[in-house]
Amino acid sequence: MNHRILVIDDNPAIHADIRKILGKQAHSSAFMEDAEAVLFGDAQTDDTAVLFEIDSAYQGQEGLEKIQQSLVAQNPYALAFVDVRMPPGWDGIETISRIWEVYPELQVVICTAYSDYSWEEMTRRVHKSDSVLILKKPFDNIEVLQMAHALTKKWFLTHEAKSQLTNLDRMVSLRTEELQQANQRLTLEISERSQAEDQLRLSEERFAKAFKSSPIPMCILSIEQQRYLDVNDSYIEMTGYSRGELLGRSALDLNLWPNVESRTEILRQLTAGRAIRNLESHIRTKIGHERTTLLSAELITLGIDAYALISEHDISQRLQLEAQLRQAQKMEAIGHLAAGVAHDFRNILTVILGHANLRLMSKGLDEKVTESLRQISEAAQRASNLTRQLLAFSRKQIIQLQAIDLNDLIAQLSSMLVRLIGEHITLDCRYDHDLPFTEADSCSIEQILMNLVVNARDAMPEGGRLTISTSLAVIDTDYVSKNSEATPGKYVCMTVVDTGCGMDDATMERLFEPFFTTKEVGKGTGMGLATVYGIVKQHNGWSEVTSQPGHGTTFKVYIPASDRKQPPAEKKNIVTRDFAGDETILIVEDEEPVRRFVSDLLQEYGYQVRIASSGLEALRVWREHSGDIDLLLTDVVMPESISGLQLAEKLLADKQSLKVIYTSGYSIELLDTHFQSRTRVNFLPKPYHPLKLAEAVRECLDT
Ligand code: ADP
Ligand code: MG
């Protein structure tokens, strides 16, 4: 409660009166208690008897100052008794107006003896009728007391109500602020959520797109039952099953993972909740093909169920190409080795064979010596055949390419082949009659065919059917991507199919290696397919084999097709019985034993010989004897700077009528077509029979 009262009156007697009326002694009187009980009810007891605190001001200005001080001190008055006439200062009405300007809450009692103003005028002038009462002088004590009580109580209640209101206001604004903050949070959350939803949608879209269009086969599989929830197009393509056949079915039911080991591993990892990285695995396609894949799995949860996002990268083709490459590299290495051996052997055999045969031609030999020489000659011949095969395999054999009709070649050989395979095997030849020519060496192609046919015969001891067919094969890049040996273009394909015992994988892998044979000792040399391999390679072709144990074998040989439409003119066959002569021959040969043997031989036939061990030496000899030299017999590859070919060119420039025979038998650089076209007739491969040499010399001199 606020019981502070300010009395503003210029008359000190009034102050004294009011103090007397509102002072303590007046209070404790029984009369006052009754009066209070009447006013405020019984609750008011003696203990709470009101003690008014009364201040005095004797002029309006002073009153205002006191009011202001009390406000500053935060100890305001509840009520003021204000006199109307207070000369010389403001009158009561003005004082009240000014006070209310700074302190409108103050309750006021205007004390007046005269009716200076009417009630209406007063209230009009102070603008507030609800906080002012009028007390007529002289006072009635009770009235003063009642007014003091009522107005201080009113001040208090107004004050209370006001502070309650402010409290309420504060609470409302606090609550409003809280609500606003909550609202802001909510708005933020909503926008975050909708952003998150947008991102989720986008990321789902991205995932769906990546999943659908990935070139790598992918599926989503439930971990518990391995059932397909979704598969992408690549997966459908790889497995050969339709989407409908896969969705909802289990990978195990469909037997898509045929390999027990990798299947167990996949299931073990997935059920343990572990991701899988690049596990080599196998897929069985709908038509039963097995493909090798690199399997990776990522665990995902959809709803409450656990799934695996599986990708299976098909690496079958890569593995196949790698195997082909390894095979090609192996064959290349073996080829180098074989070529090295054959190269050295060839010269040695030329000497052995040459001398043995030379001696055999002498008259009056002891029979035992003759027999030995014949044995030597035959053995050397066999060895020589072997080196030729080795050279063929290592592609170091001289081949003479010309346009040939493969159909013709097979037809010409067929009667011989029938005899070769025996009566228990039926030969069936099927020709593609629109077959283009092929650019090939006919002897080599015959050799391929013979080797394939002999193998087929050996594979069918109980009889069967042998089919040889020809066809045109147009190879495109798609084909090349599956077979590293192939190159795009037009090819003539020769296919040899038998119904024999077939082969297992281990045999298939080593098939073309020289000396690889599964036949018993003495039956097979293991050189047949090695020769085929070398020849085919040398013709810029390749071969393909398919076979299964017990289900026969198919060999396909691809040789480039030729643009030519006509076979070249037949070579004229010159038969000369007598190989003797007296012309002068220049022999150029770097191997001393070969040189001596050739010179001995030709001298026995009556020829004059000049010898040189190199191209340079030959040029020196030529400078002295060019006039009488009729024929140059030269090795092609020789040490020192000048080759047989260059030597011949130089000498021919000097003497156009000079005849030339090249001899050799190897070296890849000889295979350039330039050389082949010039030496087609005058080429004598080593090692050679003495008769062959004599025949070649005579033939060349007579042409
Ligand atoms: P060889 O015939 O002397 O054994 P090849 O090089 O011709 O040597 O053949 C190597 C091996 O390839 C043979 O021993 C055989 O095991 C296998 N082979 C070749 N052709 C056939 C075929 N048509 N059918 C079954 N196996 C074959
Ligand atoms: Mg064979």
Side-chain angles (χ1 to χ4, degrees):
M1 278 298 283
N2 182 359
H3 290 119
R4 276 164 61 74
I5 294 174
L6 178 64
V7 180
I8 309 171
D9 202 312
D10 57 339
N11 182 1
I14 296 290
H15 292 266
D17 283 351
I18 290 179
R19 276 179 208 280
K20 212 183 290 168
I21 298 167
L22 302 179
K24 193 164 185 179
Q25 49 282 57
H27 252 240
S28 50
S29 72
F31 161 77
M32 280 306 300
E33 280 170 25
D34 291 346
E36 279 198 23
V38 170
L39 280 171
F40 307 116
D42 290 330
Q44 208 83 7
T45 66
D46 222 17
D47 306 335
T48 60
V50 179
L51 178 62
F52 291 102
E53 200 183 304
I54 296 163
D55 279 343
S56 296
Y58 299 92
Q59 282 291 302
Q61 285 95 325
E62 192 195 348
L64 178 62
E65 276 159 25
K66 283 238 154 89
I67 293 286
Q68 280 167 334
Q69 282 162 13
S70 75
L71 290 176
V72 171
Q74 293 191 341
N75 191 17
Y77 297 99
L79 170 64
F81 287 91
V82 183
D83 186 19
V84 176
R85 286 189 188 173
M86 292 182 284
W90 303 331
D91 71 2
I93 300 302
E94 178 160 12
T95 305
I96 291 165
S97 303
R98 294 206 184 218
I99 287 172
W100 273 347
E101 275 170 24
V102 297
Y103 182 36
E105 288 84 10
L106 186 70
Q107 301 296 314
V108 175
V109 175
I110 298 175
C111 312
T112 179
Y114 323 93
S115 46
D116 297 338
Y117 300 97
S118 70
W119 166 251
E120 284 78 20
E121 200 181 350
M122 264 192 290
T123 50
R124 188 174 46 77
R125 284 192 58 186
V126 296
H127 302 300
K128 266 176 77 170
S129 55
D130 61 339
S131 302
V132 65
L133 290 177
I134 295 176
L135 181 64
K136 290 266 194 232
K137 286 180 183 175
F139 319 132
D140 172 16
N141 287 4
I142 298 289
E143 203 178 351
V144 171
L145 203 54
Q146 280 176 346
M147 279 179 171
H149 275 290
L151 290 179
T152 51
K153 189 80 181 183
K154 184 182 171 203
W155 181 92
F156 175 72
L157 290 176
T158 315
H159 181 77
E160 271 296 78
K162 206 168 158 192
S163 78
Q164 287 286 351
L165 255 169
T166 356
N167 254 349
L168 213 63
D169 260 4
R170 220 184 29 246
M171 265 164 64
V172 167
S173 70
L174 206 72
R175 191 81 194 109
T176 313
E177 202 175 314
E178 276 173 15
L179 278 172
Q180 264 167 359
Q181 278 175 3
N183 192 28
Q184 264 173 11
R185 268 202 309 279
L186 264 174
T187 330
L188 198 73
E189 262 171 38
I190 289 172
S191 92
E192 274 174 5
R193 171 161 304 191
S194 90
Q195 254 177 24
E197 271 167 6
D198 278 357
Q199 291 203 330
L200 188 67
R201 193 171 39 78
L202 274 178
S203 105
E204 265 169 15
E205 261 172 34
R206 274 199 299 268
F207 170 77
K209 210 170 203 164
F211 179 79
K212 230 170 109 59
S213 64
S214 168
I216 296 177
M218 295 206 281
C219 64
I220 299 176
L221 208 68
S222 75
I223 288 185
E224 209 173 304
Q225 293 172 308
Q226 292 88 45
R227 284 188 198 290
Y228 288 101
L229 179 73
D230 203 356
V231 292
N232 71 357
D233 293 347
S234 310
Y235 199 85
I236 291 173
E237 199 182 316
M238 176 178 73
T239 57
Y241 288 100
S242 71
R243 184 178 299 276
E245 284 170 318
L246 288 170
L247 295 194
R249 302 279 298 281
S250 128
L252 300 190
D253 288 350
L254 292 169
N255 193 19
L256 263 134
W257 294 329
N259 184 297
V260 184
E261 213 173 287
S262 57
R263 182 177 61 214
T264 320
E265 178 65 11
I266 295 168
L267 296 182
R268 205 165 59 80
Q269 299 284 8
L270 289 185
T271 42
R274 278 197 291 268
I276 303 175
R277 282 277 166 280
N278 291 332
L279 175 76
E280 187 165 321
S281 154
H282 300 268
I283 278 270
R284 172 170 287 148
T285 66
K286 189 177 179 184
I287 52 168
H289 285 173
E290 212 168 282
R291 312 203 60 92
T292 312
T293 65
L294 280 186
L295 182 145
S296 296
E298 201 58 59
L299 299 160
I300 50 177
T301 328
L302 300 174
I304 49 162
D305 298 323
Y307 288 88
L309 171 64
I310 294 181
S311 64
E312 296 212 44
H313 192 179
D314 187 348
I315 54 166
S316 317
Q317 192 168 326
R318 196 178 82 196
L319 291 180
Q320 191 186 336
L321 287 178
E322 275 173 10
Q324 282 175 2
L325 187 66
R326 262 201 308 279
Q327 178 74 3
Q329 282 171 340
K330 183 179 79 181
M331 297 306 272
E332 199 62 38
I334 299 175
H336 279 303
L337 178 71
V341 174
H343 175 270
D344 290 349
F345 252 75
R346 201 190 42 247
N347 281 325
I348 300 168
L349 287 172
T350 307
V351 178
I352 298 174
L353 202 59
H355 278 287
N357 288 328
L358 195 57
R359 285 305 133 228
L360 272 172
M361 285 189 284
S362 352
K363 307 259 159 18
L365 276 184
D366 179 271
E367 210 166 283
K368 278 187 183 157
V369 176
T370 311
E371 179 53 27
S372 293
L373 283 173
R374 195 170 292 123
Q375 292 282 341
I376 293 171
S377 166
E378 273 170 22
Q381 191 61 55
R382 277 203 300 280
S384 153
N385 283 339
L386 198 59
T387 57
R388 208 187 342 272
Q389 284 172 329
L390 275 176
L391 281 173
F393 166 70
S394 54
R395 289 174 267 153
K396 296 280 165 75
Q397 174 179 262
I398 295 251
I399 55 167
Q400 302 194 337
L401 296 182
Q402 57 187 39
I404 61 166
D405 181 342
L406 189 62
N407 289 346
D408 273 1
L409 188 143
I410 297 172
Q412 277 169 22
L413 278 183
S414 60
S415 56
M416 191 269 279
L417 295 178
V418 170
R419 258 178 282 126
L420 190 68
I421 56 181
E423 283 172 357
H424 59 309
I425 296 171
T426 323
L427 176 66
D428 187 6
C429 293
R430 297 177 191 171
Y431 304 113
D432 173 353
H433 290 291
D434 294 326
L435 198 68
F437 278 72
T438 167
E439 205 64 50
D441 178 87
S442 52
C443 293
S444 303
I445 302 298
E446 280 171 15
Q447 215 176 335
I448 293 178
L449 190 58
M450 295 267 286
N451 289 352
L452 294 181
V453 167
V454 168
N455 281 347
R457 176 199 66 192
D458 294 349
M460 299 184 284
E462 310 292 316
R465 172 173 288 274
L466 172 64
T467 313
I468 303 173
S469 54
T470 59
S471 60
L472 169 69
V474 181
I475 303 301
D476 55 15
T477 45
D478 187 42
Y479 191 100
V480 171
S481 71
K482 289 177 195 119
N483 187 331
S484 60
E485 284 185 304
T487 38
K490 274 190 176 180
Y491 290 82
V492 167
C493 175
M494 175 165 80
T495 311
V496 177
V497 184
D498 67 53
T499 55
C501 60
M503 284 173 271
D504 56 16
D505 286 349
T507 307
M508 294 268 278
E509 260 172 40
R510 304 191 51 196
L511 206 59
F512 292 107
E513 284 176 26
F515 305 113
F516 172 77
T517 178
T518 56
K519 295 167 190 171
E520 58 192 83
V521 183
K523 281 271 171 64
T525 60
M527 287 305 293
L529 291 179
T531 309
V532 169
Y533 177 87
I535 294 174
V536 171
K537 275 265 155 177
Q538 207 172 5
H539 280 79
N540 297 320
W542 72 94
S543 51
E544 289 172 7
V545 198
T546 44
S547 182
Q548 264 186 352
H551 288 94
T553 302
T554 300
F555 272 94
K556 280 178 189 278
V557 171
Y558 293 84
I559 307 281
S562 158
D563 298 334
R564 286 221 224 172
K565 301 278 179 288
Q566 293 243 310
E570 285 270 318
K571 189 180 110 183
K572 219 166 54 195
N573 238 346
I574 304 157
V575 187
T576 318
R577 304 222 170 272
D578 187 5
F579 303 136
D582 56 3
E583 288 90 342
T584 304
I585 299 171
L586 172 56
I587 302 164
V588 190
E589 167 64 62
D590 58 316
E591 292 267 338
E592 201 271 336
V594 180
R595 197 166 60 231
R596 217 179 41 226
F597 148 67
V598 173
S599 121
D600 285 0
L601 175 83
L602 291 177
Q603 277 174 327
E604 284 200 17
Y605 276 96
Y607 295 101
Q608 307 290 309
V609 295
R610 307 245 173 260
I611 50 174
S613 64
S614 72
L616 290 178
E617 197 185 333
L619 286 176
R620 272 198 298 280
V621 175
W622 180 258
R623 275 198 289 278
E624 286 168 33
H625 304 281
S626 61
D628 49 60
I629 293 174
D630 303 295
L631 181 128
L632 168 68
L633 174 68
T634 179
D635 202 0
V636 180
V637 181
M638 289 179 298
E640 298 191 38
S641 54
I642 182 162
S643 77
L645 197 61
Q646 288 165 327
L647 175 67
E649 255 163 26
K650 274 192 172 26
L651 302 196
L652 279 168
D654 214 16
K655 183 175 182 178
Q656 280 193 355
S657 62
L658 181 73
K659 303 284 167 59
V660 183
I661 295 177
Y662 300 95
T663 137
S664 183
Y666 57 109
S667 216
I668 205 82
E669 66 265 25
L670 302 186
L671 291 176
D672 76 75
T673 44
H674 172 63
F675 181 81
Q676 285 158 20
S677 63
R678 299 189 36 178
T679 57
R680 193 155 289 169
V681 182
N682 298 335
F683 185 78
L684 187 63
K686 279 180 182 177
Y688 37 73
H689 191 280
L691 272 179
K692 258 269 184 245
L693 174 63
E695 182 190 5
V697 166
R698 193 61 260 158
E699 188 181 325
C700 181
L701 283 168
D702 290 344
T703 314

